[in-house]
Short mmCIF file of all heavy atoms in Angstrom, two decimals:
data_model
loop_
_atom_site.label_atom_id
_atom_site.label_comp_id
_atom_site.label_asym_id
_atom_site.label_seq_id
_atom_site.Cartn_x
_atom_site.Cartn_y
_atom_site.Cartn_z
N LYS L 1 0.81 -1.23 0.00
CA LYS L 1 0.00 0.00 0.00
C LYS L 1 0.84 1.27 0.00
O LYS L 1 0.60 2.19 0.79
CB LYS L 1 -0.96 -0.01 1.19
CG LYS L 1 -2.04 -1.07 1.10
CD LYS L 1 -3.08 -0.89 2.20
CE LYS L 1 -4.21 -1.89 2.04
NZ LYS L 1 -5.25 -1.71 3.09
N GLY L 2 1.82 1.33 -0.88
CA GLY L 2 2.60 2.53 -1.06
C GLY L 2 3.68 2.77 -0.04
O GLY L 2 4.38 3.79 -0.10
N ARG L 3 3.85 1.87 0.89
CA ARG L 3 4.83 2.07 1.96
C ARG L 3 6.25 1.69 1.57
O ARG L 3 7.20 2.18 2.17
CB ARG L 3 4.42 1.28 3.21
CG ARG L 3 3.08 1.71 3.80
CD ARG L 3 2.74 0.88 5.04
NE ARG L 3 2.56 -0.54 4.72
CZ ARG L 3 3.29 -1.52 5.24
NH1 ARG L 3 4.25 -1.24 6.12
NH2 ARG L 3 3.06 -2.78 4.90
N PHE L 4 6.37 0.79 0.60
CA PHE L 4 7.67 0.27 0.20
C PHE L 4 8.03 0.75 -1.20
O PHE L 4 7.15 1.03 -2.02
CB PHE L 4 7.69 -1.26 0.20
CG PHE L 4 7.50 -1.91 1.54
CD1 PHE L 4 7.32 -1.17 2.70
CD2 PHE L 4 7.51 -3.29 1.64
CE1 PHE L 4 7.15 -1.78 3.92
CE2 PHE L 4 7.35 -3.92 2.85
CZ PHE L 4 7.17 -3.16 4.00
N ALA L 5 9.31 0.82 -1.48
CA ALA L 5 9.79 1.18 -2.81
C ALA L 5 11.00 0.34 -3.17
O ALA L 5 11.96 0.27 -2.39
CB ALA L 5 10.13 2.67 -2.89
N ILE L 6 10.95 -0.30 -4.33
CA ILE L 6 12.07 -1.09 -4.81
C ILE L 6 12.84 -0.29 -5.85
O ILE L 6 12.26 0.46 -6.63
CB ILE L 6 11.60 -2.44 -5.39
CG1 ILE L 6 12.79 -3.35 -5.67
CG2 ILE L 6 10.74 -2.24 -6.63
CD1 ILE L 6 12.40 -4.79 -6.01
N SER L 7 14.14 -0.42 -5.83
CA SER L 7 14.99 0.24 -6.81
C SER L 7 16.21 -0.63 -7.07
O SER L 7 16.50 -1.56 -6.31
CB SER L 7 15.40 1.64 -6.33
OG SER L 7 16.15 1.57 -5.13
N ARG L 8 16.91 -0.32 -8.15
CA ARG L 8 18.12 -1.08 -8.46
C ARG L 8 19.17 -0.15 -9.04
O ARG L 8 18.85 0.84 -9.70
CB ARG L 8 17.83 -2.24 -9.41
CG ARG L 8 17.37 -1.82 -10.80
CD ARG L 8 16.82 -3.02 -11.58
NE ARG L 8 17.84 -4.00 -11.90
CZ ARG L 8 17.60 -5.23 -12.33
NH1 ARG L 8 16.34 -5.64 -12.48
NH2 ARG L 8 18.61 -6.05 -12.60
N ASP L 9 20.41 -0.50 -8.79
CA ASP L 9 21.54 0.21 -9.35
C ASP L 9 22.36 -0.82 -10.11
O ASP L 9 23.13 -1.58 -9.51
CB ASP L 9 22.36 0.88 -8.25
CG ASP L 9 23.48 1.74 -8.79
OD1 ASP L 9 23.84 1.60 -9.97
OD2 ASP L 9 24.02 2.56 -8.02
N ASN L 10 22.18 -0.85 -11.43
CA ASN L 10 22.85 -1.87 -12.23
C ASN L 10 24.37 -1.69 -12.23
O ASN L 10 25.10 -2.67 -12.42
CB ASN L 10 22.32 -1.85 -13.66
CG ASN L 10 20.93 -2.44 -13.78
OD1 ASN L 10 20.44 -3.09 -12.86
ND2 ASN L 10 20.28 -2.22 -14.91
N SER L 11 24.82 -0.47 -12.05
CA SER L 11 26.26 -0.24 -12.01
C SER L 11 26.89 -0.81 -10.76
O SER L 11 28.10 -1.07 -10.73
CB SER L 11 26.57 1.26 -12.12
OG SER L 11 26.18 1.95 -10.94
N LYS L 12 26.08 -1.02 -9.73
CA LYS L 12 26.55 -1.58 -8.47
C LYS L 12 26.07 -3.01 -8.23
O LYS L 12 26.38 -3.59 -7.19
CB LYS L 12 26.10 -0.71 -7.29
CG LYS L 12 26.57 0.74 -7.37
CD LYS L 12 28.06 0.85 -7.20
CE LYS L 12 28.50 2.31 -7.17
NZ LYS L 12 29.98 2.43 -7.05
N ASN L 13 25.32 -3.55 -9.19
CA ASN L 13 24.77 -4.90 -9.05
C ASN L 13 24.01 -5.06 -7.74
O ASN L 13 24.15 -6.07 -7.03
CB ASN L 13 25.87 -5.96 -9.15
CG ASN L 13 26.39 -6.13 -10.56
OD1 ASN L 13 26.01 -5.42 -11.48
ND2 ASN L 13 27.29 -7.10 -10.73
N THR L 14 23.19 -4.06 -7.43
CA THR L 14 22.50 -4.03 -6.15
C THR L 14 21.04 -3.65 -6.33
O THR L 14 20.72 -2.76 -7.12
CB THR L 14 23.18 -3.04 -5.19
OG1 THR L 14 24.57 -3.39 -5.03
CG2 THR L 14 22.52 -3.07 -3.82
N VAL L 15 20.17 -4.32 -5.59
CA VAL L 15 18.76 -3.97 -5.54
C VAL L 15 18.43 -3.59 -4.11
O VAL L 15 18.97 -4.16 -3.15
CB VAL L 15 17.87 -5.13 -6.04
CG1 VAL L 15 18.02 -6.37 -5.17
CG2 VAL L 15 16.41 -4.69 -6.12
N PHE L 16 17.54 -2.60 -3.95
CA PHE L 16 17.19 -2.06 -2.65
C PHE L 16 15.70 -2.20 -2.40
O PHE L 16 14.90 -2.26 -3.31
CB PHE L 16 17.55 -0.58 -2.56
CG PHE L 16 18.99 -0.28 -2.88
CD1 PHE L 16 19.37 0.07 -4.16
CD2 PHE L 16 19.95 -0.34 -1.89
CE1 PHE L 16 20.69 0.36 -4.46
CE2 PHE L 16 21.28 -0.06 -2.18
CZ PHE L 16 21.65 0.29 -3.46
N LEU L 17 15.34 -2.22 -1.14
CA LEU L 17 13.95 -2.14 -0.74
C LEU L 17 13.84 -1.13 0.40
O LEU L 17 14.30 -1.41 1.51
CB LEU L 17 13.40 -3.50 -0.30
CG LEU L 17 11.92 -3.52 0.08
CD1 LEU L 17 11.05 -3.29 -1.15
CD2 LEU L 17 11.54 -4.83 0.76
N GLN L 18 13.26 0.02 0.11
CA GLN L 18 13.00 1.02 1.13
C GLN L 18 11.66 0.72 1.76
O GLN L 18 10.64 0.68 1.07
CB GLN L 18 13.00 2.42 0.52
CG GLN L 18 12.71 3.54 1.51
CD GLN L 18 13.80 3.71 2.54
OE1 GLN L 18 14.98 3.72 2.20
NE2 GLN L 18 13.41 3.81 3.80
N MET L 19 11.65 0.53 3.06
CA MET L 19 10.43 0.18 3.78
C MET L 19 10.13 1.27 4.79
O MET L 19 10.93 1.54 5.69
CB MET L 19 10.58 -1.17 4.49
CG MET L 19 10.97 -2.31 3.56
SD MET L 19 10.92 -3.93 4.38
CE MET L 19 12.26 -3.71 5.55
N ASN L 20 8.97 1.90 4.63
CA ASN L 20 8.53 2.96 5.52
C ASN L 20 7.24 2.56 6.21
O ASN L 20 6.53 1.65 5.78
CB ASN L 20 8.31 4.25 4.73
CG ASN L 20 9.56 4.74 4.03
OD1 ASN L 20 10.66 4.69 4.58
ND2 ASN L 20 9.40 5.24 2.81
N SER L 21 6.92 3.27 7.28
CA SER L 21 5.68 3.04 8.03
C SER L 21 5.52 1.56 8.37
O SER L 21 4.45 0.97 8.17
CB SER L 21 4.48 3.55 7.24
OG SER L 21 4.60 4.93 6.97
N LEU L 22 6.56 0.98 8.88
CA LEU L 22 6.56 -0.46 9.14
C LEU L 22 5.55 -0.84 10.22
O LEU L 22 5.35 -0.11 11.19
CB LEU L 22 7.95 -0.92 9.52
CG LEU L 22 8.92 -1.02 8.34
CD1 LEU L 22 10.36 -1.06 8.82
CD2 LEU L 22 8.61 -2.27 7.52
N LYS L 23 4.96 -2.00 10.02
CA LYS L 23 3.96 -2.55 10.92
C LYS L 23 4.45 -3.87 11.48
O LYS L 23 5.28 -4.54 10.86
CB LYS L 23 2.64 -2.77 10.18
CG LYS L 23 2.09 -1.55 9.48
CD LYS L 23 0.86 -1.90 8.65
CE LYS L 23 0.32 -0.70 7.93
NZ LYS L 23 -0.88 -1.04 7.11
N PRO L 24 3.94 -4.28 12.65
CA PRO L 24 4.35 -5.58 13.20
C PRO L 24 4.15 -6.73 12.22
O PRO L 24 4.97 -7.66 12.21
CB PRO L 24 3.45 -5.72 14.43
CG PRO L 24 3.21 -4.32 14.87
CD PRO L 24 3.10 -3.52 13.59
N GLU L 25 3.11 -6.67 11.39
CA GLU L 25 2.87 -7.74 10.44
C GLU L 25 3.88 -7.78 9.30
O GLU L 25 3.88 -8.71 8.49
CB GLU L 25 1.45 -7.66 9.85
CG GLU L 25 1.08 -6.29 9.30
CD GLU L 25 0.30 -5.44 10.28
OE1 GLU L 25 0.67 -5.40 11.47
OE2 GLU L 25 -0.70 -4.81 9.87
N ASP L 26 4.75 -6.76 9.21
CA ASP L 26 5.85 -6.79 8.25
C ASP L 26 7.02 -7.63 8.74
O ASP L 26 7.95 -7.88 7.97
CB ASP L 26 6.35 -5.37 7.96
CG ASP L 26 5.31 -4.52 7.24
OD1 ASP L 26 4.63 -5.03 6.34
OD2 ASP L 26 5.21 -3.33 7.59
N SER L 27 6.99 -8.05 9.98
CA SER L 27 8.07 -8.86 10.53
C SER L 27 8.18 -10.17 9.76
O SER L 27 7.21 -10.90 9.61
CB SER L 27 7.83 -9.15 12.01
OG SER L 27 7.81 -7.96 12.77
N ALA L 28 9.38 -10.46 9.28
CA ALA L 28 9.61 -11.65 8.48
C ALA L 28 11.09 -11.71 8.12
O ALA L 28 11.84 -10.75 8.34
CB ALA L 28 8.77 -11.63 7.20
N VAL L 29 11.48 -12.83 7.55
CA VAL L 29 12.77 -12.91 6.89
C VAL L 29 12.56 -12.46 5.45
O VAL L 29 11.69 -12.98 4.75
CB VAL L 29 13.36 -14.32 6.93
CG1 VAL L 29 14.68 -14.37 6.16
CG2 VAL L 29 13.58 -14.76 8.37
N TYR L 30 13.35 -11.50 5.02
CA TYR L 30 13.24 -10.96 3.68
C TYR L 30 14.34 -11.54 2.81
O TYR L 30 15.52 -11.49 3.16
CB TYR L 30 13.33 -9.43 3.70
CG TYR L 30 12.06 -8.78 4.19
CD1 TYR L 30 11.67 -8.88 5.51
CD2 TYR L 30 11.24 -8.07 3.30
CE1 TYR L 30 10.48 -8.31 5.95
CE2 TYR L 30 10.06 -7.49 3.73
CZ TYR L 30 9.69 -7.62 5.06
OH TYR L 30 8.51 -7.04 5.49
N TYR L 31 13.94 -12.08 1.65
CA TYR L 31 14.86 -12.76 0.74
C TYR L 31 14.98 -12.01 -0.58
O TYR L 31 13.98 -11.58 -1.15
CB TYR L 31 14.37 -14.17 0.45
CG TYR L 31 14.33 -15.09 1.65
CD1 TYR L 31 13.16 -15.22 2.40
CD2 TYR L 31 15.44 -15.83 2.02
CE1 TYR L 31 13.12 -16.06 3.49
CE2 TYR L 31 15.40 -16.67 3.12
CZ TYR L 31 14.23 -16.78 3.85
OH TYR L 31 14.19 -17.63 4.93
N CYS L 32 16.17 -11.93 -1.07
CA CYS L 32 16.44 -11.39 -2.39
C CYS L 32 16.35 -12.50 -3.43
O CYS L 32 16.79 -13.62 -3.19
CB CYS L 32 17.83 -10.76 -2.40
SG CYS L 32 18.32 -9.98 -3.95
N ASN L 33 15.77 -12.18 -4.58
CA ASN L 33 15.56 -13.15 -5.65
C ASN L 33 16.00 -12.57 -6.99
O ASN L 33 15.75 -11.40 -7.28
CB ASN L 33 14.09 -13.55 -5.70
CG ASN L 33 13.74 -14.40 -6.90
OD1 ASN L 33 13.26 -13.88 -7.91
ND2 ASN L 33 13.98 -15.69 -6.80
N ALA L 34 16.63 -13.39 -7.80
CA ALA L 34 17.00 -13.04 -9.17
C ALA L 34 16.40 -14.07 -10.11
O ALA L 34 16.54 -15.28 -9.89
CB ALA L 34 18.51 -12.99 -9.33
N TRP L 35 15.72 -13.61 -11.19
CA TRP L 35 14.99 -14.50 -12.09
C TRP L 35 15.17 -14.06 -13.53
O TRP L 35 15.09 -12.88 -13.84
CB TRP L 35 13.50 -14.47 -11.71
CG TRP L 35 12.63 -15.35 -12.54
CD1 TRP L 35 12.39 -16.68 -12.38
CD2 TRP L 35 11.84 -14.95 -13.67
NE1 TRP L 35 11.51 -17.13 -13.34
CE2 TRP L 35 11.15 -16.09 -14.14
CE3 TRP L 35 11.64 -13.73 -14.33
CZ2 TRP L 35 10.29 -16.06 -15.23
CZ3 TRP L 35 10.79 -13.69 -15.43
CH2 TRP L 35 10.13 -14.84 -15.85
N ASP L 36 15.38 -15.05 -14.42
CA ASP L 36 15.55 -14.73 -15.85
C ASP L 36 14.82 -15.69 -16.77
O ASP L 36 15.20 -15.86 -17.91
CB ASP L 36 17.04 -14.66 -16.21
CG ASP L 36 17.68 -16.03 -16.37
OD1 ASP L 36 17.12 -17.04 -15.90
OD2 ASP L 36 18.77 -16.09 -16.97
N ARG L 37 13.76 -16.34 -16.34
CA ARG L 37 12.92 -17.30 -17.05
C ARG L 37 13.47 -18.72 -17.00
O ARG L 37 12.70 -19.68 -16.87
CB ARG L 37 12.68 -16.92 -18.51
CG ARG L 37 11.97 -15.60 -18.72
CD ARG L 37 11.52 -15.45 -20.15
NE ARG L 37 10.91 -14.16 -20.40
CZ ARG L 37 10.21 -13.86 -21.47
NH1 ARG L 37 10.03 -14.76 -22.42
NH2 ARG L 37 9.70 -12.64 -21.62
N THR L 38 14.77 -18.87 -17.11
CA THR L 38 15.36 -20.20 -17.14
C THR L 38 15.90 -20.65 -15.79
O THR L 38 16.05 -21.85 -15.53
CB THR L 38 16.49 -20.29 -18.17
OG1 THR L 38 17.54 -19.38 -17.82
CG2 THR L 38 15.97 -19.94 -19.55
N GLN L 39 16.19 -19.70 -14.93
CA GLN L 39 16.73 -20.04 -13.63
C GLN L 39 16.51 -18.90 -12.65
O GLN L 39 16.25 -17.77 -13.06
CB GLN L 39 18.21 -20.37 -13.72
CG GLN L 39 19.06 -19.25 -14.29
CD GLN L 39 20.48 -19.68 -14.56
OE1 GLN L 39 20.93 -20.74 -14.12
NE2 GLN L 39 21.22 -18.86 -15.28
N GLU L 40 16.60 -19.20 -11.40
CA GLU L 40 16.49 -18.17 -10.38
C GLU L 40 17.41 -18.49 -9.22
O GLU L 40 17.80 -19.64 -9.00
CB GLU L 40 15.05 -17.98 -9.91
CG GLU L 40 14.45 -19.16 -9.17
CD GLU L 40 13.05 -18.87 -8.69
OE1 GLU L 40 12.64 -17.69 -8.64
OE2 GLU L 40 12.33 -19.84 -8.37
N TYR L 41 17.72 -17.45 -8.48
CA TYR L 41 18.63 -17.56 -7.35
C TYR L 41 18.03 -16.86 -6.15
O TYR L 41 17.24 -15.92 -6.29
CB TYR L 41 19.99 -16.95 -7.69
CG TYR L 41 20.63 -17.55 -8.91
CD1 TYR L 41 20.52 -16.94 -10.15
CD2 TYR L 41 21.35 -18.74 -8.83
CE1 TYR L 41 21.10 -17.49 -11.28
CE2 TYR L 41 21.94 -19.30 -9.96
CZ TYR L 41 21.81 -18.67 -11.18
OH TYR L 41 22.39 -19.22 -12.29
N TRP L 42 18.43 -17.32 -4.98
CA TRP L 42 17.94 -16.75 -3.73
C TRP L 42 19.09 -16.40 -2.80
O TRP L 42 20.10 -17.10 -2.75
CB TRP L 42 17.04 -17.76 -3.01
CG TRP L 42 15.76 -18.05 -3.72
CD1 TRP L 42 15.53 -19.05 -4.62
CD2 TRP L 42 14.53 -17.33 -3.58
NE1 TRP L 42 14.22 -18.99 -5.05
CE2 TRP L 42 13.59 -17.96 -4.43
CE3 TRP L 42 14.13 -16.24 -2.82
CZ2 TRP L 42 12.27 -17.50 -4.54
CZ3 TRP L 42 12.83 -15.79 -2.93
CH2 TRP L 42 11.92 -16.42 -3.78
N GLY L 43 18.91 -15.32 -2.07
CA GLY L 43 19.83 -14.98 -1.01
C GLY L 43 19.51 -15.75 0.25
O GLY L 43 18.54 -16.52 0.32
N GLN L 44 20.31 -15.53 1.27
CA GLN L 44 20.13 -16.25 2.53
C GLN L 44 19.08 -15.62 3.44
O GLN L 44 18.65 -16.25 4.40
CB GLN L 44 21.47 -16.33 3.27
CG GLN L 44 21.88 -15.08 4.03
CD GLN L 44 22.30 -13.92 3.14
OE1 GLN L 44 22.54 -14.08 1.95
NE2 GLN L 44 22.38 -12.72 3.72
N GLY L 45 18.69 -14.41 3.14
CA GLY L 45 17.66 -13.73 3.90
C GLY L 45 18.22 -12.80 4.96
O GLY L 45 19.32 -13.00 5.48
N THR L 46 17.44 -11.78 5.27
CA THR L 46 17.76 -10.87 6.37
C THR L 46 16.50 -10.66 7.21
O THR L 46 15.42 -10.47 6.68
CB THR L 46 18.33 -9.54 5.84
OG1 THR L 46 18.74 -8.72 6.95
CG2 THR L 46 17.32 -8.78 5.00
#
């Protein structure tokens, strides 16, 4: 609902997630994912 914003910096090979107005129900392990139709990869989570 407009609280989060995703962005990427291809020059830095980095993707970001800005999370604002956080709620208790946002509590979770957050995982990074990369997908290209043929394969995907996952981070370990934060």
Side-chain angles (χ1 to χ4, degrees):
K1 292 189 176 181
R3 298 180 296 120
F4 295 0
I6 190 170
S7 61
R8 65 192 293 166
D9 185 344
N10 286 346
S11 70
K12 302 292 185 182
N13 287 5
T14 303
V15 62
F16 305 94
L17 183 68
Q18 179 67 46
M19 304 188 294
N20 300 319
S21 301
L22 284 162
K23 305 174 181 179
E25 52 263 44
D26 294 319
S27 298
V29 177
Y30 284 70
Y31 297 92
C32 182
N33 172 263
W35 181 84
D36 77 343
R37 299 193 184 193
T38 62
Q39 58 189 347
E40 66 178 343
Y41 303 97
W42 293 92
Q44 80 288 346
T46 185

